[in-house]
């Protein structure tokens, strides 16, 4: 099981966007430095949305101006519309992640748009990234269930994946925004998306709201997915999704994958130390991560 699995660290963006503690910019930059020291080479660090709606991301332009550019890291910025796409490109994001939405209810709350409208919008604005030769990925949010509408049809998720691929997305992520997926559903939706977008690279994004994230990641990896989102400490949540709790913890994912023999390129001990720093100094409140509490096995140097 030596196949590599890429971990996309989303703590500095998805992790912090809904946290009750507004982390100062300098502390965010220290967080990013610690993640790089732990081996992270691809991470979400910015969200180009209305700062009145997501105050924690108001410093995204400043963050992008100050992140270290000489350490081999790909910095991802999130965009929901044309203005966000232009801001992400202007601040020299290495990659832009655009969000399509798989249901009407969440689409209206999060982006004030339907699934079809988000797909149409990506058709129009993806060219902005293509012209700048900046890779653009698409996350299909609430791909496993919507907090307002309930179940989300698989064929709609597949349709959006096909639209994303046709418009030039180099990677398609399925987002379990409210943490309702199960391993069997993961396998089925991965297969449907592969059929609709056979050449696209797939990424999976799980929240641990109902304690199924690690099982879902197992199912994704068994289905051949090689890219997984995770958030140091298990922090995160969506401001527009009721009761949405944190992402799956990076150190929990890394521990599971390393024990199975997969290579993530991440130093588990350093990631545990970063999670503990996050709890004690960065956010100054408890985090959800289990491995940060228990340490690695055999006995971790971070224990």
């Amino acid at each position: 099981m030596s196949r590599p699995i890429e971990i996309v660290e989303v703590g500095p963006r998805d992790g912090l966007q809904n946290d009750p503690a507004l982390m100062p910019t300098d502390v965010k930059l220290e967080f990013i430095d610690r993640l790089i020291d732990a081996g992270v080479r691809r991470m979400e660090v910015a969200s180009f949305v209305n700062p009145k709606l997501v105050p924690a991301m108001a410093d995204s332009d400043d963050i992008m101006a100050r992140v270290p550019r000489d350490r081999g890291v790909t910095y991802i910025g999130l965009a929901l519309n044309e203005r966000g796409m232009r801001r992400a490109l202007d601040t020299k994001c290495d990659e832009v992640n655009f969000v399509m939405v798989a249901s009407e209810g969440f689409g209206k709350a999060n982006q004030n748009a339907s699934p079809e409208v988000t797909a149409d919008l990506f058709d129009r604005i993806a060219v902005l990234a293509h012209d700048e030769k900046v890779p653009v990925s698409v996350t299909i949010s609430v791909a496993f269930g919507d907090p307002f509408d309930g179940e989300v049809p698989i064929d709609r998720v597949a349709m959006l994946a096909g639209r994303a691929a046709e418009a030039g997305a180099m990677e398609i992520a399925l987002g379990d925004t409210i943490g309702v997926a199960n391993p069997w559903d993961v396998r089925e939706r991965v297969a449907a998306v592969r059929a609709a977008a056979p050449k696209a690279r797939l990424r999976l994004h799980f929240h641990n709201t109902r304690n199924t994230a690690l099982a879902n990641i197992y199912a994704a990896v068994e289905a051949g997915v090689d890219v997984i989102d995770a958030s140091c400490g298990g922090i995160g949540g969506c401001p527009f999704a009721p009761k949405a709790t944190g992402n799956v913890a990076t150190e929990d994912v890394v521990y599971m994958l390393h024990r199975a023999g997969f290579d993530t390129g991440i130093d588990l001990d350093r990631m545990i130390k970063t999670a503990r720093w996050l709890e004690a100094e960065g956010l100054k409140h408890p985090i959800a991560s289990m491995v940060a509490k228990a340490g690695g096995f055999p006995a971790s140097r971070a224990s």
Side-chain angles (χ1 to χ4, degrees), residues 140-158:
I140 302 173
S141 64
V142 293
F144 296 88
D146 177 274
F148 307 103
D149 297 345
E151 301 291 351
V152 171
I154 290 179
D155 59 357
R156 187 183 300 152
V157 175

Side-chain angles (χ1 to χ4, degrees), residues 178-225:
I178 58 171
V180 293
N182 66 71
W184 299 271
D185 195 19
V186 169
R187 183 171 58 189
E188 190 174 4
R189 288 176 192 253
V190 166
V193 167
R194 279 218 177 95
K199 295 183 180 179
R201 190 181 192 197
L202 299 188
R203 173 164 51 92
L204 273 290
H205 177 105
F206 295 109
H207 287 242
N208 201 36
T209 313
R210 291 166 178 83
N211 203 33
T212 57
L214 287 176
N216 292 333
I217 289 169
Y218 169 81
V221 170
E222 286 291 287
V225 174

Side-chain angles (χ1 to χ4, degrees), residues 3 30 32 55-56 64 70-71 104 114 116 221 229 236 275:
R3 138 180 165 228
E30 181 177 354
I32 290 167
M64 285 307 305
D70 59 350
R71 302 185 66 184
E104 298 277 347
S114 68
E116 291 75 13
V221 170
D229 284 356

Side-chain angles (χ1 to χ4, degrees), residues 16-17 22 28 49-60 239:
L16 295 179
Q17 71 173 1
L22 288 178
K28 280 189 190 179
V49 296
N50 189 334
K52 293 181 180 178
L53 298 177
V54 189
M57 295 291 105
D59 60 351
S60 288

Side-chain angles (χ1 to χ4, degrees), residues 8 35 83-84 114 139 178 198 208 227 243 251 267 274 290:
V8 178
L35 291 168
R83 183 179 181 185
S114 68
T139 293
I178 58 171
N208 201 36
V227 192
K243 299 181 181 179
E251 54 277 13
D267 185 309
T274 300
M290 301 300 290

Side-chain angles (χ1 to χ4, degrees), residues 218-248:
Y218 169 81
V221 170
E222 286 291 287
V225 174
D226 293 323
V227 192
I228 301 293
D229 284 356
S231 173
C232 179
I235 61 172
C238 178
F240 306 103
K243 299 181 181 179
T245 56
N247 299 271
V248 65

Side-chain angles (χ1 to χ4, degrees), residues 1-108:
M1 292 188 187
S2 59
R3 138 180 165 228
I5 303 292
E6 181 180 33
I7 303 296
V8 178
E9 174 60 51
V10 302
R13 197 282 299 176
D14 198 17
L16 295 179
Q17 71 173 1
N18 200 41
D19 198 276
L22 288 178
M23 184 179 283
T25 302
D26 286 345
V27 181
K28 280 189 190 179
L29 290 165
E30 181 177 354
F31 183 28
I32 290 167
D33 279 340
R34 288 173 178 269
L35 291 168
I36 296 171
D37 288 342
V40 172
R41 290 298 174 262
R42 188 177 174 207
M43 73 172 93
E44 279 191 349
V45 298
S47 179
F48 298 98
V49 296
N50 189 334
K52 293 181 180 178
L53 298 177
V54 189
M57 295 291 105
D59 60 351
S60 288
D61 296 77
D62 194 16
I63 288 290
M64 285 307 305
R66 297 173 62 188
V67 290
R69 299 282 187 167
D70 59 350
R71 302 185 66 184
V73 178
T74 296
Y75 297 109
I76 306 170
L78 184 81
L80 303 182
N81 52 35
E82 181 176 346
R83 183 179 181 185
M85 177 70 77
R86 290 185 183 278
R87 286 179 62 199
L89 296 172
D90 287 345
T91 58
K92 306 301 181 185
C93 287
D94 299 303
E95 177 187 329
V96 183
N97 185 40
F98 179 82
V99 179
M100 290 183 183
V101 64
S103 66
E104 298 277 347
F106 186 75
K108 290 178 181 177

